[in-house]
Amino acid sequence: MLLTIDVGNTNIKLGIYDGDELHRIIKISTDSHKTADEIAVELYTLFQVYSVDAFSIDGCIICSVVPRITQRLKAAVKSVTGIDALIVGPGIKTGVNICIEDPATLGADLVVAGAAAQAMFDGPCIVISMGTATAMFAIDKNRRMLGGTIAPGVSISLDALTAHGALLPSIELKAPANIIGKNTDDSIRSGVVLGTACMIDGMIDKFEEELGCKCSVVATGGIAPMIVDSCCHDIVLKDELILEGLRIIYAKNS
């Protein structure tokens, strides 16, 4: 079995593959202060809880946007499974032709998402990743990753708004029934949720205008279902996009 690990700023998502089939997803919070031993104990405990035989895992690949925790996580995986994990970075074959000014600056999560999107679509596509940031990037008909845009994520925008607005309350994040809010809470929801959806719709239009063609669109991230449901464009939801990209990249390097 293959253990795929997606390290985000908020959560670490572990995907366990049996061949091409995603057998289980496990999520833990990202804590860059934990030692390798503490992470190992957490991994071992989770494997016990979900009846995962650590010694049946014969491969592991890690994608991380939190450098401080990456090597500790690799050491923890080694302790629990005996496997030396691959880390997505320089020297790893991804199959993604990155055509930005400095490819080394592109986040590993976006590279991995690009590898998965290439496998999903034959033609040009736009990939949207909704996490701490809302990132969008384009892959053209020649399967080149051209670059994209980065905006504050939905949760960050909401936190900033309520933190700096003395009279604005903290609210539960959900889509409002109407765009014209009748109270403060729904007005904030409209601005944050529907405003993000409008931004994404507008950016898709701008991407397609610049590329000169229609594109397939795929979105991933915990907040994506709420936002995509409010968008006008046809957007494929793929929560496990990065885990699937890790599986694809591991196969290229094993």
Side-chain angles (χ1 to χ4, degrees):
M1 289 198 294
L2 173 65
L3 174 62
T4 58
I5 305 178
D6 172 22
V7 182
N9 289 290
T10 304
N11 293 309
I12 298 173
K13 184 186 292 186
L14 299 90
I16 300 171
Y17 279 87
D18 187 358
D20 293 344
E21 182 180 351
L22 183 57
H23 178 66
R24 180 174 294 280
I25 296 176
I26 302 171
K27 293 181 182 180
I28 58 177
S29 60
T30 303
D31 185 348
S32 60
H33 298 290
K34 287 181 181 176
T35 66
D37 290 338
E38 289 173 321
I39 299 170
V41 169
E42 192 167 17
L43 283 177
Y44 179 81
T45 302
L46 287 167
F47 286 169
Q48 294 294 306
V49 168
Y50 292 106
S51 301
V52 176
D53 180 4
F55 294 106
S56 69
I57 295 172
D58 51 19
C60 178
I61 182 168
I62 300 171
C63 163
S64 175
V65 296
V66 188
R68 185 174 178 180
I69 202 174
T70 307
Q71 290 300 324
R72 286 180 236 165
L73 181 58
K74 180 177 179 177
V77 169
K78 176 73 171 178
S79 296
V80 175
T81 69
I83 297 296
D84 283 315
L86 291 176
I87 297 175
V88 177
I92 292 290
K93 299 174 185 176
T94 65
V96 180
N97 184 9
I98 304 170
C99 296
I100 65 173
E101 291 179 357
D102 185 357
T105 62
L106 185 64
D109 57 333
L110 300 185
V111 175
V112 174
Q118 284 184 349
M120 288 178 64
F121 306 111
D122 291 331
C125 63
I126 299 168
V127 183
I128 308 170
S129 176
M130 299 184 202
T132 301
T134 296
M136 300 176 63
F137 63 88
I139 298 175
D140 70 7
K141 62 182 179 181
N142 297 316
R143 305 178 75 78
R144 299 176 301 171
M145 184 181 288
L146 302 179
T149 66
I150 301 174
V154 176
S155 295
I156 282 183
S157 297
L158 178 60
D159 290 345
L161 181 64
T162 56
H164 293 280
L167 297 178
L168 298 178
S170 296
I171 62 168
E172 177 189 359
L173 188 59
K174 61 181 182 180
N178 302 294
I179 194 167
I180 301 174
K182 301 297 185 182
N183 55 62
T184 302
D185 288 5
D186 280 346
S187 296
I188 293 174
R189 292 186 182 105
S190 177
V192 174
V193 176
L194 301 184
T196 299
C198 289
M199 182 269 287
I200 287 173
D201 278 328
M203 289 303 260
I204 291 171
D205 290 338
K206 291 293 185 182
F207 271 50
E208 291 180 337
E209 180 182 344
E210 191 161 312
L211 291 169
C213 61
K214 289 291 184 181
C215 299
S216 300
V217 187
V218 61
T220 190
I223 201 71
M226 180 192 310
I227 304 300
V228 167
D229 191 52
S230 300
C231 290
C232 297
H233 284 82
D234 184 14
I235 302 173
V236 177
L237 277 170
K238 190 75 171 176
D239 186 52
E240 66 276 15
L241 187 71
I242 292 179
L243 298 181
E244 184 64 16
L246 285 170
R247 183 191 66 78
I248 291 168
I249 291 172
Y250 183 84
K252 293 180 182 295
N253 290 271
S254 61

